[in-house]
mmCIF file with all atom_site columns, all heavy atoms in Angstrom:
data_model
loop_
_atom_site.group_PDB
_atom_site.id
_atom_site.type_symbol
_atom_site.label_atom_id
_atom_site.label_alt_id
_atom_site.label_comp_id
_atom_site.label_asym_id
_atom_site.label_entity_id
_atom_site.label_seq_id
_atom_site.pdbx_PDB_ins_code
_atom_site.Cartn_x
_atom_site.Cartn_y
_atom_site.Cartn_z
_atom_site.occupancy
_atom_site.B_iso_or_equiv
_atom_site.pdbx_formal_charge
_atom_site.auth_seq_id
_atom_site.auth_comp_id
_atom_site.auth_asym_id
_atom_site.auth_atom_id
_atom_site.pdbx_PDB_model_num
ATOM 1   N N   . PRO A 1 281 ? -3.370 36.932 12.097 1.00 0.00 ? 283 PRO A N   1
ATOM 2   C CA  . PRO A 1 281 ? -2.870 35.943 11.154 1.00 0.00 ? 283 PRO A CA  1
ATOM 3   C C   . PRO A 1 281 ? -3.231 36.282 9.705  1.00 0.00 ? 283 PRO A C   1
ATOM 4   O O   . PRO A 1 281 ? -4.400 36.567 9.401  1.00 0.00 ? 283 PRO A O   1
ATOM 5   C CB  . PRO A 1 281 ? -3.544 34.641 11.602 1.00 0.00 ? 283 PRO A CB  1
ATOM 6   C CG  . PRO A 1 281 ? -3.827 34.845 13.046 1.00 0.00 ? 283 PRO A CG  1
ATOM 7   C CD  . PRO A 1 281 ? -4.172 36.293 13.167 1.00 0.00 ? 283 PRO A CD  1
ATOM 8   N N   . VAL A 1 282 ? -2.250 36.268 8.828  1.00 0.00 ? 284 VAL A N   1
ATOM 9   C CA  . VAL A 1 282 ? -2.446 36.416 7.391  1.00 0.00 ? 284 VAL A CA  1
ATOM 10  C C   . VAL A 1 282 ? -1.607 35.345 6.695  1.00 0.00 ? 284 VAL A C   1
ATOM 11  O O   . VAL A 1 282 ? -0.714 34.758 7.306  1.00 0.00 ? 284 VAL A O   1
ATOM 12  C CB  . VAL A 1 282 ? -2.033 37.827 6.883  1.00 0.00 ? 284 VAL A CB  1
ATOM 13  C CG1 . VAL A 1 282 ? -2.766 38.915 7.640  1.00 0.00 ? 284 VAL A CG1 1
ATOM 14  C CG2 . VAL A 1 282 ? -0.513 38.015 6.995  1.00 0.00 ? 284 VAL A CG2 1
ATOM 15  N N   . LYS A 1 283 ? -1.901 35.090 5.438  1.00 0.00 ? 285 LYS A N   1
ATOM 16  C CA  . LYS A 1 283 ? -1.083 34.164 4.680  1.00 0.00 ? 285 LYS A CA  1
ATOM 17  C C   . LYS A 1 283 ? -0.210 34.938 3.707  1.00 0.00 ? 285 LYS A C   1
ATOM 18  O O   . LYS A 1 283 ? -0.688 35.492 2.725  1.00 0.00 ? 285 LYS A O   1
ATOM 19  C CB  . LYS A 1 283 ? -1.949 33.161 3.911  1.00 0.00 ? 285 LYS A CB  1
ATOM 20  C CG  . LYS A 1 283 ? -1.132 32.158 3.105  1.00 0.00 ? 285 LYS A CG  1
ATOM 21  C CD  . LYS A 1 283 ? -0.110 31.439 3.967  1.00 0.00 ? 285 LYS A CD  1
ATOM 22  C CE  . LYS A 1 283 ? 0.891  30.640 3.152  1.00 0.00 ? 285 LYS A CE  1
ATOM 23  N NZ  . LYS A 1 283 ? 1.962  30.070 4.006  1.00 0.00 ? 285 LYS A NZ  1
ATOM 24  N N   . ILE A 1 284 ? 1.088  35.005 4.000  1.00 0.00 ? 286 ILE A N   1
ATOM 25  C CA  . ILE A 1 284 ? 2.039  35.684 3.124  1.00 0.00 ? 286 ILE A CA  1
ATOM 26  C C   . ILE A 1 284 ? 2.323  34.800 1.915  1.00 0.00 ? 286 ILE A C   1
ATOM 27  O O   . ILE A 1 284 ? 2.726  33.642 2.064  1.00 0.00 ? 286 ILE A O   1
ATOM 28  C CB  . ILE A 1 284 ? 3.335  36.018 3.878  1.00 0.00 ? 286 ILE A CB  1
ATOM 29  C CG1 . ILE A 1 284 ? 3.038  36.965 5.046  1.00 0.00 ? 286 ILE A CG1 1
ATOM 30  C CG2 . ILE A 1 284 ? 4.378  36.626 2.957  1.00 0.00 ? 286 ILE A CG2 1
ATOM 31  C CD1 . ILE A 1 284 ? 4.204  37.195 5.974  1.00 0.00 ? 286 ILE A CD1 1
ATOM 32  N N   . LEU A 1 285 ? 2.108  35.353 0.742  1.00 0.00 ? 287 LEU A N   1
ATOM 33  C CA  . LEU A 1 285 ? 2.291  34.591 -0.496 1.00 0.00 ? 287 LEU A CA  1
ATOM 34  C C   . LEU A 1 285 ? 3.559  34.979 -1.238 1.00 0.00 ? 287 LEU A C   1
ATOM 35  O O   . LEU A 1 285 ? 4.134  34.154 -1.940 1.00 0.00 ? 287 LEU A O   1
ATOM 36  C CB  . LEU A 1 285 ? 1.071  34.809 -1.407 1.00 0.00 ? 287 LEU A CB  1
ATOM 37  C CG  . LEU A 1 285 ? -0.274 34.393 -0.796 1.00 0.00 ? 287 LEU A CG  1
ATOM 38  C CD1 . LEU A 1 285 ? -1.434 34.907 -1.614 1.00 0.00 ? 287 LEU A CD1 1
ATOM 39  C CD2 . LEU A 1 285 ? -0.354 32.872 -0.659 1.00 0.00 ? 287 LEU A CD2 1
ATOM 40  N N   . ARG A 1 286 ? 3.961  36.209 -1.118 1.00 0.00 ? 288 ARG A N   1
ATOM 41  C CA  . ARG A 1 286 ? 5.254  36.670 -1.611 1.00 0.00 ? 288 ARG A CA  1
ATOM 42  C C   . ARG A 1 286 ? 5.871  37.526 -0.522 1.00 0.00 ? 288 ARG A C   1
ATOM 43  O O   . ARG A 1 286 ? 5.218  38.419 0.023  1.00 0.00 ? 288 ARG A O   1
ATOM 44  C CB  . ARG A 1 286 ? 5.125  37.483 -2.900 1.00 0.00 ? 288 ARG A CB  1
ATOM 45  C CG  . ARG A 1 286 ? 4.753  36.653 -4.100 1.00 0.00 ? 288 ARG A CG  1
ATOM 46  C CD  . ARG A 1 286 ? 4.773  37.465 -5.385 1.00 0.00 ? 288 ARG A CD  1
ATOM 47  N NE  . ARG A 1 286 ? 4.288  36.665 -6.496 1.00 0.00 ? 288 ARG A NE  1
ATOM 48  C CZ  . ARG A 1 286 ? 4.002  37.159 -7.689 1.00 0.00 ? 288 ARG A CZ  1
ATOM 49  N NH1 . ARG A 1 286 ? 4.170  38.441 -7.930 1.00 0.00 ? 288 ARG A NH1 1
ATOM 50  N NH2 . ARG A 1 286 ? 3.554  36.366 -8.644 1.00 0.00 ? 288 ARG A NH2 1
ATOM 51  N N   . ASP A 1 287 ? 7.120  37.264 -0.210 1.00 0.00 ? 289 ASP A N   1
ATOM 52  C CA  . ASP A 1 287 ? 7.765  37.929 0.932  1.00 0.00 ? 289 ASP A CA  1
ATOM 53  C C   . ASP A 1 287 ? 8.821  38.912 0.433  1.00 0.00 ? 289 ASP A C   1
ATOM 54  O O   . ASP A 1 287 ? 9.309  38.818 -0.694 1.00 0.00 ? 289 ASP A O   1
ATOM 55  C CB  . ASP A 1 287 ? 8.371  36.881 1.856  1.00 0.00 ? 289 ASP A CB  1
ATOM 56  C CG  . ASP A 1 287 ? 8.418  37.369 3.300  1.00 0.00 ? 289 ASP A CG  1
ATOM 57  O OD1 . ASP A 1 287 ? 8.141  38.573 3.548  1.00 0.00 ? 289 ASP A OD1 1
ATOM 58  O OD2 . ASP A 1 287 ? 8.746  36.566 4.181  1.00 0.00 ? 289 ASP A OD2 1
ATOM 59  N N   . ASP A 1 288 ? 9.180  39.802 1.318  1.00 0.00 ? 290 ASP A N   1
ATOM 60  C CA  . ASP A 1 288 ? 10.204 40.810 1.051  1.00 0.00 ? 290 ASP A CA  1
ATOM 61  C C   . ASP A 1 288 ? 10.971 41.029 2.340  1.00 0.00 ? 290 ASP A C   1
ATOM 62  O O   . ASP A 1 288 ? 10.362 41.129 3.412  1.00 0.00 ? 290 ASP A O   1
ATOM 63  C CB  . ASP A 1 288 ? 9.549  42.117 0.587  1.00 0.00 ? 290 ASP A CB  1
ATOM 64  C CG  . ASP A 1 288 ? 10.547 43.232 0.353  1.00 0.00 ? 290 ASP A CG  1
ATOM 65  O OD1 . ASP A 1 288 ? 11.093 43.311 -0.761 1.00 0.00 ? 290 ASP A OD1 1
ATOM 66  O OD2 . ASP A 1 288 ? 10.790 44.024 1.287  1.00 0.00 ? 290 ASP A OD2 1
ATOM 67  N N   . ALA A 1 289 ? 12.294 41.062 2.261  1.00 0.00 ? 291 ALA A N   1
ATOM 68  C CA  . ALA A 1 289 ? 13.124 41.137 3.468  1.00 0.00 ? 291 ALA A CA  1
ATOM 69  C C   . ALA A 1 289 ? 12.812 42.375 4.296  1.00 0.00 ? 291 ALA A C   1
ATOM 70  O O   . ALA A 1 289 ? 12.687 42.298 5.531  1.00 0.00 ? 291 ALA A O   1
ATOM 71  C CB  . ALA A 1 289 ? 14.608 41.120 3.074  1.00 0.00 ? 291 ALA A CB  1
ATOM 72  N N   . ARG A 1 290 ? 12.680 43.516 3.645  1.00 0.00 ? 292 ARG A N   1
ATOM 73  C CA  . ARG A 1 290 ? 12.434 44.763 4.377  1.00 0.00 ? 292 ARG A CA  1
ATOM 74  C C   . ARG A 1 290 ? 11.083 44.726 5.084  1.00 0.00 ? 292 ARG A C   1
ATOM 75  O O   . ARG A 1 290 ? 10.956 45.172 6.233  1.00 0.00 ? 292 ARG A O   1
ATOM 76  C CB  . ARG A 1 290 ? 12.523 45.933 3.392  1.00 0.00 ? 292 ARG A CB  1
ATOM 77  C CG  . ARG A 1 290 ? 12.435 47.297 4.038  1.00 0.00 ? 292 ARG A CG  1
ATOM 78  C CD  . ARG A 1 290 ? 12.959 48.371 3.117  1.00 0.00 ? 292 ARG A CD  1
ATOM 79  N NE  . ARG A 1 290 ? 12.218 48.435 1.885  1.00 0.00 ? 292 ARG A NE  1
ATOM 80  C CZ  . ARG A 1 290 ? 11.454 49.488 1.512  1.00 0.00 ? 292 ARG A CZ  1
ATOM 81  N NH1 . ARG A 1 290 ? 11.371 50.533 2.304  1.00 0.00 ? 292 ARG A NH1 1
ATOM 82  N NH2 . ARG A 1 290 ? 10.826 49.482 0.367  1.00 0.00 ? 292 ARG A NH2 1
ATOM 83  N N   . VAL A 1 291 ? 10.077 44.194 4.389  1.00 0.00 ? 293 VAL A N   1
ATOM 84  C CA  . VAL A 1 291 ? 8.746  44.125 4.994  1.00 0.00 ? 293 VAL A CA  1
ATOM 85  C C   . VAL A 1 291 ? 8.734  43.126 6.148  1.00 0.00 ? 293 VAL A C   1
ATOM 86  O O   . VAL A 1 291 ? 8.115  43.365 7.176  1.00 0.00 ? 293 VAL A O   1
ATOM 87  C CB  . VAL A 1 291 ? 7.692  43.743 3.944  1.00 0.00 ? 293 VAL A CB  1
ATOM 88  C CG1 . VAL A 1 291 ? 6.311  43.650 4.590  1.00 0.00 ? 293 VAL A CG1 1
ATOM 89  C CG2 . VAL A 1 291 ? 7.650  44.765 2.809  1.00 0.00 ? 293 VAL A CG2 1
ATOM 90  N N   . ARG A 1 292 ? 9.469  42.024 5.979  1.00 0.00 ? 294 ARG A N   1
ATOM 91  C CA  . ARG A 1 292 ? 9.501  41.049 7.066  1.00 0.00 ? 294 ARG A CA  1
ATOM 92  C C   . ARG A 1 292 ? 10.092 41.656 8.338  1.00 0.00 ? 294 ARG A C   1
ATOM 93  O O   . ARG A 1 292 ? 9.587  41.451 9.444  1.00 0.00 ? 294 ARG A O   1
ATOM 94  C CB  . ARG A 1 292 ? 10.296 39.808 6.673  1.00 0.00 ? 294 ARG A CB  1
ATOM 95  C CG  . ARG A 1 292 ? 10.121 38.683 7.681  1.00 0.00 ? 294 ARG A CG  1
ATOM 96  C CD  . ARG A 1 292 ? 11.081 37.526 7.451  1.00 0.00 ? 294 ARG A CD  1
ATOM 97  N NE  . ARG A 1 292 ? 10.815 36.801 6.223  1.00 0.00 ? 294 ARG A NE  1
ATOM 98  C CZ  . ARG A 1 292 ? 11.463 35.680 5.887  1.00 0.00 ? 294 ARG A CZ  1
ATOM 99  N NH1 . ARG A 1 292 ? 12.412 35.188 6.705  1.00 0.00 ? 294 ARG A NH1 1
ATOM 100 N NH2 . ARG A 1 292 ? 11.173 35.062 4.757  1.00 0.00 ? 294 ARG A NH2 1
ATOM 101 N N   . LEU A 1 293 ? 11.173 42.411 8.190  1.00 0.00 ? 295 LEU A N   1
ATOM 102 C CA  . LEU A 1 293 ? 11.780 43.066 9.336  1.00 0.00 ? 295 LEU A CA  1
ATOM 103 C C   . LEU A 1 293 ? 10.834 44.090 9.962  1.00 0.00 ? 295 LEU A C   1
ATOM 104 O O   . LEU A 1 293 ? 10.639 44.130 11.172 1.00 0.00 ? 295 LEU A O   1
ATOM 105 C CB  . LEU A 1 293 ? 13.087 43.736 8.929  1.00 0.00 ? 295 LEU A CB  1
ATOM 106 C CG  . LEU A 1 293 ? 13.822 44.538 9.996  1.00 0.00 ? 295 LEU A CG  1
ATOM 107 C CD1 . LEU A 1 293 ? 14.140 43.676 11.218 1.00 0.00 ? 295 LEU A CD1 1
ATOM 108 C CD2 . LEU A 1 293 ? 15.098 45.167 9.430  1.00 0.00 ? 295 LEU A CD2 1
#
Side-chain angles (χ1 to χ4, degrees):
V284 304
K285 180 54 191 174
I286 298 172
L287 301 168
R288 289 186 186 170
D289 209 350
D290 177 87
R292 186 161 61 114
V293 179
R294 191 190 292 186
L295 176 58

